[in-house]
Amino acid sequence: MPGKIAIEFVTHKLFQRTIIERGPVVGFQGIQGPAGGSSEQTYAAAQAISGGRVVSAVSNTADYFDPTGNLEPVGIAKHAASQGASLAVALSGPLVIAGWGLTPGATYFAGPNGTLISNPALAVGRVQIIGVAEDANTLIINIQQGIIL
């Protein structure tokens, strides 16, 4: 097996170690994983919720994310829902909402009342990265740890 010899000096003693380089290890193929794309969870809307807004959840109820509160954001509402209705929330990955008007390449943060903002200086309570716009209608959701202001 081809290898390299590395020599290093440690406290005036000469040690030798062998570094072995090899290709990938091939084993048995596992079971098929889930398809890619965004993951989602369904909640009951705590109030009328607009699509494209950041939400947090308690038990099985989703409400607008409040960056000044104690709850963490779970995702973005995929559609509008009236109070008590079922609300699909995108947790990660790409979310497409036609006519969203995002700036491609911009990082989006959580703003007041679940809004998305692209200027972190406008954040109140904490700076919370929600995702990056792929194009005007697609946000790649990747919620990061918030930084309390």
Side-chain angles (χ1 to χ4, degrees), residues 60-117:
N60 193 34
T61 304
D63 202 353
Y64 289 129
F65 172 67
D66 176 10
T68 63
N70 295 325
L71 296 176
E72 295 293 324
V74 294
I76 297 181
K78 293 180 73 171
H79 54 81
S82 58
Q83 183 177 5
S86 181
L87 176 67
V89 176
L91 308 176
S92 65
L95 174 61
V96 178
I97 296 182
W100 211 346
L102 303 172
T103 302
T107 299
Y108 282 86
F109 304 85
N113 209 24
T115 58
L116 289 172
I117 58 176

Side-chain angles (χ1 to χ4, degrees), residues 12 84 89 122:
H12 305 294
V89 176
L122 300 177

Side-chain angles (χ1 to χ4, degrees), residues 10-129:
V10 179
T11 63
H12 305 294
K13 294 182 181 178
L14 181 63
F15 289 92
Q16 175 180 330
R17 75 182 155 133
T18 303
I19 300 171
I20 300 173
E21 295 178 352
R22 61 180 173 162
V25 177
V26 179
F28 294 104
Q29 182 174 353
I31 59 171
Q32 176 77 30
S38 66
S39 59
E40 75 176 57
Q41 177 74 39
T42 302
Y43 298 95
Q47 62 176 311
I49 303 284
S50 299
R53 295 280 189 95
V54 181
V55 296
S56 55
V58 174
S59 299
N60 193 34
T61 304
D63 202 353
Y64 289 129
F65 172 67
D66 176 10
T68 63
N70 295 325
L71 296 176
E72 295 293 324
V74 294
I76 297 181
K78 293 180 73 171
H79 54 81
S82 58
Q83 183 177 5
S86 181
L87 176 67
V89 176
L91 308 176
S92 65
L95 174 61
V96 178
I97 296 182
W100 211 346
L102 303 172
T103 302
T107 299
Y108 282 86
F109 304 85
N113 209 24
T115 58
L116 289 172
I117 58 176
S118 59
N119 183 350
L122 300 177
V124 177
R126 69 175 129 174
V127 176
Q128 184 84 49
I129 295 174

